[in-house]
Amino acid sequence: MTDQNIVEIRNIHKRFGDLEVLKGVDFDVRQQEVICLIGKSGSGKSTLLRCINLLEKPDDGEIRVFGEDILHIRNVDAYRAKVGMCFQQFNLFNNMNVLKNCMISQERVLKRPASEAREKALYYLNKVGMSEFIHADSRNLSGGQKQRVAIARALCMDPKLMLFDEPTSALDPEMVGEVLNVMKQLAEEGLTMIIVTHEMNFAREVADRVVFMDQGVIEEQGSPEKIFLNPLSPRTAEFLARSIH
Amino acid sequence: MNFWQICLNILSTYGQSFLLGIRMTLLISLSGTLIGLLIGLMVGGFRAVTLDYTASTAAKILKKIFDIITKIYIDIFRGTPMMVQAVFLYFALLNVIHWDKLTAAIFVISINTGAYMAEIIRSGIQAVDKGQTEAARSLGMSNAQTMMEVVLPQAIINAFPSIGNEFIVNIKDSSVLMIISISDLMFQAKSIAGTTYHFEQTYFVTAMIYFVLTKTASVILNFIEKKMNNKTVSLPQSVTDPKNMTLANNGED
């Protein structure tokens, strides 16, 4: 792990109508760090994650990623191409097969020639164990398979940072493991990842740092041992008591 | 001669005229539908675009102007009869561009269909899951790339039944274009009836021909639709409530 911060968030606020979802969040991520964001639904985890790749724009505050002030950059598309994102609902492109799903953004955004895009797609599909399914219609896959393809699709863009928004929450229990294993492997390879998750065991095992959010602020953060074994805040303790039993 | 004999008689005597009429009707309704679809794709496509905060102010102003103009276009062409549009536009523009009647007819039916298609395409686009757009944008694809590569192809499949229906409507409704003396099926029928004085029988035969045309079109369209759906059939899958998931999985160490 290096000391260089690749994400620096200062005092961001976000409201949806009357509801203030983020109430001044400060948050840093170092290179190669794996962060698990935990907390109740509605605590602002997903919104924070979505602010990082600008799917939501914070109302106030500052976000620097890779040293760039991303709230004031011109080319948002070029920035997003450097940040991978996986969604709870996978969001594979329904009008394309598995291989094409992994190739399209390489071809259109990075302007890679088809042969190179294909090679890269095959490499990552193989890595997530989906190489047998390259010609499958993306709608015919199981949830776990879809999420693995979605991870491969994001990796094809050579992201320097990966965001996961509850990647296993929409999966049947028996499929959670296959997705978490892929993510664990990526963590071991040193990819910087921010993961919103309800999988406490996974967070304990994989995270370098666990961040507990509550009511739009970061209530507590620290190493998994610290958060899970010796939480300082009563709210953290209460949340964990409810989640782990 | 009874009713049916007269019908057969008319059909055999004036078969050639009917065929010419059918050809004209199909030409006008098919080209009207296709050009209308193109107009609909452009108008409906741009109307469905929502510019996020990353868009420039100039783009936002242009979009607003586009939205207002296209809304007026859609409202007017959907809110007035095509027959009136045909007469008005044909005569209004006759002195300006000296067009022939066929061009005028195809023009009128195209922009009329375009107004309906724009709304069909727009709702087809809005029916595409928002997650598709978010995924494409998160991969760095631009608004335009997302629309062309991801959203529009799915929207067209969603909207295919309605698009096909416009063609069937056009086969029937192109009959009003005889008002500007287009020699379509209805025009032929009118002149045959005028010659034979067998109004009942002539229009009965004409109705039957229209029915065969629309029925054939609808069978073909259903066939295409089925083919498209076969390719995209989903296997049944269980959907698990995420709330139950956390409890089910965080239990053991």
Side-chain angles (χ1 to χ4, degrees):
Chain A
M1 207 191 295
T2 67
D3 276 347
Q4 198 194 342
N5 282 340
I6 66 170
V7 179
E8 294 180 331
I9 294 174
R10 291 293 169 267
N11 194 31
I12 62 166
H13 290 258
K14 174 71 185 173
R15 35 171 71 252
F16 294 107
D18 286 340
L19 186 70
E20 189 165 26
V21 181
L22 296 177
K23 301 170 184 166
V25 174
D26 295 284
F27 181 50
D28 289 334
V29 182
R30 288 189 296 274
Q31 192 124 39
Q32 301 201 335
E33 203 174 13
V34 176
I35 306 233
C36 284
L37 281 175
I38 61 172
K40 281 181 278 200
S41 23
S43 60
K45 316 178 295 283
S46 290
T47 307
L48 176 61
L49 199 71
R50 290 164 63 86
C51 282
I52 297 176
N53 85 341
L54 298 175
L55 283 178
E56 307 291 350
K57 189 189 189 189
D59 299 318
D60 198 11
E62 193 188 346
I63 305 181
R64 302 185 75 84
V65 184
F66 316 129
E68 256 183 317
D69 175 7
I70 61 162
L71 299 183
H72 298 98
I73 47 172
R74 272 169 174 263
N75 195 340
V76 172
D77 296 331
Y79 164 71
R80 286 200 184 113
K82 290 186 275 186
V83 179
M85 178 136 184
C86 289
F87 300 86
Q88 184 177 351
Q89 297 298 337
F90 332 120
N91 297 344
L92 291 184
F93 301 136
N94 290 328
N95 55 326
M96 302 174 196
N97 67 18
V98 167
L99 184 61
K100 191 72 186 162
N101 257 282
C102 295
M103 288 172 65
I104 183 80
S105 57
Q106 295 189 64
E107 291 177 319
R108 295 294 180 272
V109 180
L110 304 179
K111 311 289 180 202
R112 284 182 184 148
S115 57
E116 192 191 333
R118 188 186 157 88
E119 205 174 312
K120 193 122 206 159
L122 291 174
Y123 173 80
Y124 282 112
L125 284 169
N126 186 43
K127 190 175 176 120
V128 300
M130 288 298 293
S131 49
E132 294 165 53
F133 296 90
I134 55 171
H135 296 301
D137 188 320
S138 47
R139 271 167 297 190
N140 293 349
L141 303 174
S142 73
Q145 291 172 327
K146 282 181 187 172
Q147 194 61 290
R148 285 186 285 149
V149 172
I151 293 172
R153 176 175 71 176
L155 291 175
C156 283
M157 301 296 284
D158 299 321
K160 300 197 186 77
L161 169 66
M162 276 287 284
L163 310 173
F164 292 88
D165 190 1
E166 304 196 22
T168 58
S169 296
L171 297 179
D172 287 342
E174 71 271 20
M175 291 168 184
V176 170
E178 62 191 67
V179 172
L180 293 183
N181 284 338
V182 168
M183 291 166 61
K184 208 178 287 180
Q185 196 190 341
L186 296 175
E188 282 159 10
E189 288 171 13
L191 186 64
T192 314
M193 305 201 283
I194 307 175
I195 305 159
V196 172
T197 186
H198 293 291
E199 301 288 337
M200 297 304 157
N201 294 324
F202 173 79
R204 190 182 292 193
E205 199 178 332
V206 175
D208 296 311
R209 181 151 49 102
V210 175
V211 176
F212 172 66
M213 285 189 71
D214 193 50
Q215 296 175 11
V217 293
I218 291 177
E219 178 76 13
E220 185 169 1
Q221 54 180 312
S223 68
E225 293 75 32
K226 183 183 162 247
I227 298 290
F228 287 111
L229 301 177
N230 299 303
L232 294 176
S233 151
R235 282 194 188 149
T236 315
E238 188 198 353
F239 171 75
L240 290 173
R242 265 195 233 164
S243 308
I244 307 175
H245 51 86
Chain B
M1 280 204 291
N2 68 19
F3 183 87
W4 303 106
Q5 282 170 325
I6 296 171
C7 286
L8 279 177
N9 213 354
I10 288 170
L11 200 53
S12 60
T13 317
Y14 297 97
Q16 203 60 34
S17 306
F18 279 123
L19 274 179
L20 282 174
I22 290 170
R23 219 175 62 179
M24 182 59 81
T25 290
L26 287 180
L27 170 73
I28 292 174
S29 51
L30 192 60
S31 48
T33 308
L34 291 177
I35 300 170
L37 177 59
L38 281 179
I39 296 172
L41 283 172
M42 286 187 283
V43 174
F46 278 111
R47 279 177 69 78
V49 169
T50 44
L51 294 175
D52 57 13
Y53 71 92
T54 59
S56 66
T57 319
K60 279 176 187 154
I61 293 171
L62 278 177
K63 168 80 168 99
K64 190 83 209 162
I65 295 170
F66 179 87
D67 281 352
I68 293 169
I69 293 173
T70 51
K71 181 82 172 85
I72 294 171
Y73 157 62
I74 290 168
D75 282 353
I76 287 180
F77 278 88
R78 296 207 315 172
T80 57
M82 186 161 73
M83 194 187 257
V84 180
Q85 293 163 16
V87 194
F88 174 74
L89 285 173
Y90 173 61
F91 288 111
L93 295 179
L94 187 59
N95 293 324
V96 188
I97 48 178
H98 305 291
W99 52 2
D100 61 280
K101 286 168 178 154
L102 181 58
T103 316
I106 292 177
F107 176 81
V108 168
I109 197 168
S110 296
I111 52 169
N112 181 280
T113 308
Y116 286 92
M117 288 286 193
E119 290 296 274
I120 290 170
I121 296 293
R122 190 175 62 91
S123 58
I125 287 170
Q126 282 167 348
V128 174
D129 179 24
K130 213 168 159 274
Q132 298 281 310
T133 306
E134 287 192 345
R137 298 310 300 272
S138 81
L139 288 161
M141 290 168 77
S142 66
N143 233 330
Q145 287 169 333
T146 303
M147 184 56 84
M148 297 306 289
E149 304 284 353
V150 177
V151 178
L152 216 43
Q154 295 183 49
I156 292 173
I157 293 175
N158 288 348
F160 188 80
S162 308
I163 293 170
N165 191 48
E166 279 301 302
F167 177 49
I168 290 169
V169 167
N170 276 343
I171 292 176
K172 295 183 291 177
D173 286 5
S174 59
S175 59
V176 305
L177 293 171
M178 82 162 187
I179 194 81
I180 55 169
S181 312
I182 289 299
S183 51
D184 72 338
L185 186 51
M186 184 61 191
F187 182 89
Q188 299 290 4
K190 202 178 167 219
S191 68
I192 293 164
T195 317
T196 61
Y197 289 104
H198 291 304
F199 292 95
E200 244 180 292
Q201 292 83 349
T202 309
Y203 286 117
F204 179 76
V205 169
T206 310
M208 284 300 114
I209 294 173
Y210 271 115
F211 179 74
V212 169
L213 290 181
T214 53
K215 193 68 200 166
T216 311
S218 104
V219 167
I220 293 170
L221 288 166
N222 279 336
F223 177 76
I224 298 172
E225 198 188 322
K226 223 174 237 169
K227 276 229 134 159
M228 284 196 325
N229 286 337
N230 273 347
K231 258 204 285 185
T232 62
V233 74
S234 290
L235 301 179
Q237 281 173 15
S238 65
V239 177
T240 312
D241 183 356
K243 281 186 204 102
N244 303 331
M245 294 294 311
T246 50
L247 294 173
N249 272 282
N250 298 324
E252 65 286 320
D253 224 336

